[in-house]
């Protein structure tokens, strides 16, 4: 019996992009369903009743929510190629630590940057601090995962397509502060089709952000 | 089984630290217990071993530090596999569900509980209380799903979600007494009430959960410290 894999998606979502990269890396065929977050489908509400959020991966009818949990699920089930997590328990704990750090920081701080309210300056500083911390963690490695991309790369790289929006809304340059990180993002997109295919163009994200700001009255 | 180079940097009052100790007890791993005073300035060891968050628990194994309690639990489960039961299920789907509910405890339930503890106004407390009670009802439902009629979220044995939620039981009781409400009530969450008793009495847990009066006293001091830090300075 063939596997049925469905992804409940929202194209600008960095969290959903993570799942698309993972599915791409593993060569998994799936159906992608776009959600309108202002008008959530019955399927989404049924599959993720607790948080009502995307992404949701539906594997043979069973839903999995929360992008990092989905990534670990994908890595465990489709374990024959492109491992996302190291096999050594200590290395794995460190990878999960940094993926979790990215979860705790980037989305929330980035949002405060593009929203452009009174706390924007503070948010810009916080964002640069976080990105610098991540850049230090990357060090001289090609990828956070070493020679190949791993869960930390997959967790972070989608946010880089939002960099242009952060920079334009906040009037600053991320590349100036974190040149190695920007180079890493370029490397991911150039060397991994799963990444270049999952990430929309930064200008598309910017257009979306402008529309969203209008909608929110900002 | 005595293990060299296993250390827990934490405090008796922290539920996140309790999680790590419960896991180590389940796996019969002996460890060195290093106490960090939450009411004093942070120690050199803490600042050095957790420079990113500067928070406890920090787990040390062969001098390698690991931070974030749920990540520590997964590490312990992966390293000490010879004894007793697994903390996480081996089935990928069940594993994902355990992770989901532990994340719910950390991302939704605990913050509401914390807001209830430090709530400065009656309004804040009322809103937080409603959220906490709603959370217990959601968790009652999760218990029904995950336990499949057995005593724990993990089934016959204590698992990931049991540890994540159970570690909060002391604080749940203290905060409940403060609000003069039973946060985990017989009326709304009968299965959780039963589960809480089983969990608290478990061999691996009973010496880790703190004395409620001692915790209540500590809670007052901690609340004062947090409110002072949050107060606007002139």
């Amino acid at each position: 019996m063939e596997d049925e894999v469905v992804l409940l998606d929202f194209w600008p979502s960095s969290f959903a992009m993570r799942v698309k990269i993972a599915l791409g890396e593993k060569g998994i065929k799936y159906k992608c369903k776009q959600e309108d977050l202002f008008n959530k489908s019955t399927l989404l509400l049924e599959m993720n009743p607790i948080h009502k959020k995307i992404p949701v991966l539906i594997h043979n009818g069973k839903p999995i929510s929360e992008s990092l949990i989905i990534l670990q699920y994908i890595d465990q089930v489709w374990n024959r190629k492109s491992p996302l997590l190291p096999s050594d328990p200590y290395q794995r704990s460190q990878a999960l630590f940094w993926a979790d750090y990215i979860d705790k920081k980037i989305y929330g701080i980035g949002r405060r940057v593009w929203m452009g309210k009174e706390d924007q300056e503070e948010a810009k500083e916080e964002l640069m601090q976080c990105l610098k911390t991540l850049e230090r963690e990357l060090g001289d490695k090609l990828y956070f995962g070493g020679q190949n991309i791993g869960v930390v790369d997959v967790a972070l790289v989608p946010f880089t397509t939002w960099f242009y929006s952060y920079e334009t809304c906040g009037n600053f340059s991320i590349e100036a502060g974190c040149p190695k990180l920007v180079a890493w993002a370029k490397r991911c997109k150039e060397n991994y089709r799963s990444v270049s295919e999952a990430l929309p163009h930064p200008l598309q994200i910017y257009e979306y952000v402008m529309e969203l700001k209008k909608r929110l009255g900002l | 089984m005595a293990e060299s180079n296993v250390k827990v940097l934490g405090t008796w009052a922290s539920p996140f630290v309790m999680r790590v100790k419960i896991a180590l007890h389940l796996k019969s791993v002996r460890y060195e217990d290093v106490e960090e005073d939450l009411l004093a300035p942070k120690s050199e060891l803490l600042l050095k071993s957790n420079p990113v968050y500067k928070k406890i628990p920090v787990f040390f194994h062969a001098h390698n530090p690991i931070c974030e309690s749920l990540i520590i639990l997964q590490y312990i489960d992966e390293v000490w596999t010879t004894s007793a039961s697994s903390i996480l299920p081996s089935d990928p789907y069940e594993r994902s569900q355990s992770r989901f509910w532990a994340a719910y405890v950390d991302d939704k339930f605990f913050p509401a509980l914390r807001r209830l503890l430090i709530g400065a106004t009656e309004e804040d407390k009322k809103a937080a209380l409603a959220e906490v009670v709603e959370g217990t009802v959601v968790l009652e439902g999760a218990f029904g799903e995950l336990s499949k009629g057995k005593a724990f979220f993990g089934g016959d044995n204590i698992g990931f979600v049991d540890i994540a939620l159970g570690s909060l039981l002391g604080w749940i009781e203290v905060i409940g007494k403060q609000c003069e409400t039973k946060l985990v009530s017989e009326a709304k969450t009968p299965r959780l009430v039963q589960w809480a008793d089983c969990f608290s009495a478990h061999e691996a847990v009973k010496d880790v959960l703190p004395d409620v009066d001692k915790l209540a006293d500590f809670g007052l001091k901690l609340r004062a410290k947090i409110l002072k830090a949050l107060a606007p300075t002139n």
Side-chain angles (χ1 to χ4, degrees), chain B residues 66-122:
Chain B
I66 300 158
C67 308
E68 296 301 290
S69 61
L70 295 183
I71 293 176
I72 297 170
L73 250 50
Q74 291 189 80
Y75 176 83
I76 290 171
D77 203 31
E78 284 162 19
V79 169
W80 287 279
T81 54
T82 52
S83 48
S85 47
S86 285
I87 293 172
L88 274 161
S90 49
D91 172 73
Y93 187 71
E94 287 177 15
R95 220 168 155 88
S96 75
Q97 296 312 288
S98 291
R99 287 187 169 128
F100 176 88
W101 286 109
Y104 176 86
V105 170
D106 272 6
D107 299 338
K108 293 272 179 231
F109 188 69
F110 175 75
L113 200 60
R114 191 176 185 273
R115 278 194 293 275
L116 187 53
L117 172 70
I118 67 173
T121 67
E122 274 316 304

